[in-house]
Amino acid sequence: MKVVVIQGPNLNMLGVREQAIYGPMKLEQIHAQMKDFADKNKIEIEFFQSNLEGEIVDKIQECYGEAQGIILNAAAYTHTSIAIRDAIAAVGIPTIEVHISNIHRREEFRKENMIAPVCASSVVGFGPFGYHLAMMGMNQIMQEVQAMQAQQQAAQQPQAQA
Ligand code: DQA
């Protein structure tokens, strides 16, 4: 099972940008913790960050047939991008969106969310720990999908003769 973690614009500046809101942790540190969780739970994991909307759309499309889960912080594109929303809907891969800050408690424009309606779940306002919560949630979703697939396979097997 493979999870792709997609990080949107300015998240490469974590640890530098607006520390009062996003904290001191760097993106590499967050990713190291996610990789640790993935290794312990036998999940293949890939990380991608881009400041460009089209590159994020391309990456989501590349996940089709390759990944079983997406963890996405679309950052500012969360509030504007119909293209990213459509890409998530198009590939049909369970997606968990993460926001480090509580977007509901901030400026009015951050209350608009294009992405959430096509996601399995949203993790908001837990700081960098939200990524760990998203990994736990994704692990659960993957186990449920695997169990369902195993059940479907068993149902398709011809019954053993008594
Ligand atoms: C963010 C919230 C967005 O509103 C903002 O544009 C970001 C980061 C978060 O993780 O809290 O860049 O997605």
Side-chain angles (χ1 to χ4, degrees):
M1 288 284 188
K2 179 172 175 179
V3 173
V4 177
V5 180
I6 301 175
Q7 306 278 12
N10 300 309
L11 292 170
N12 54 321
M13 296 289 288
L14 285 180
V16 174
R17 78 181 281 215
E18 298 178 278
Q19 283 203 23
I21 298 173
Y22 299 112
M25 234 174 142
K26 291 183 181 304
L27 194 61
E28 297 74 38
Q29 295 172 302
I30 293 172
H31 287 174
Q33 288 185 349
M34 294 174 90
K35 173 90 173 75
D36 195 45
F37 181 95
D39 289 349
K40 285 185 179 130
N41 289 280
K42 298 186 172 51
I43 297 169
E44 191 187 339
I45 193 159
E46 182 190 331
F47 300 100
F48 176 82
Q49 189 276 329
S50 176
N51 295 325
L52 304 179
E53 185 177 21
E55 286 188 0
I56 295 170
V57 170
D58 283 345
K59 190 67 200 175
I60 293 167
Q61 289 186 8
E62 279 169 27
C63 289
Y64 184 71
E66 290 293 322
Q68 288 68 47
I70 296 173
I71 292 175
L72 168 69
N73 185 345
Y77 289 135
T78 305
H79 316 295
T80 59
S81 181
I82 299 170
I84 293 176
R85 175 201 180 112
D86 285 352
I88 298 166
V91 295
I93 299 168
T95 299
I96 298 178
E97 67 149 359
V98 176
H99 296 288
I100 297 166
S101 64
N102 185 347
I103 51 175
H104 307 295
R105 288 183 58 177
R106 297 181 62 190
E107 301 93 330
E108 275 304 304
F109 63 83
R110 291 186 209 274
K111 293 192 175 122
E112 186 81 55
N113 191 332
M114 297 289 168
I115 308 297
V118 291
C119 288
S121 181
S122 302
V123 182
V124 165
F126 281 98
F129 184 63
Y131 287 101
H132 183 72
L133 293 175
M135 284 300 291
M136 290 169 71
M138 189 54 81
N139 195 32
Q140 177 67 23
I141 289 173
M142 287 183 158
Q143 282 178 21
E144 284 170 17
V145 169
Q146 272 177 334
M148 216 169 63
Q149 285 169 348
Q151 239 176 26
Q152 280 167 355
Q153 266 175 7
Q156 280 164 9
Q157 298 289 322
Q159 296 292 314
Q161 296 295 321

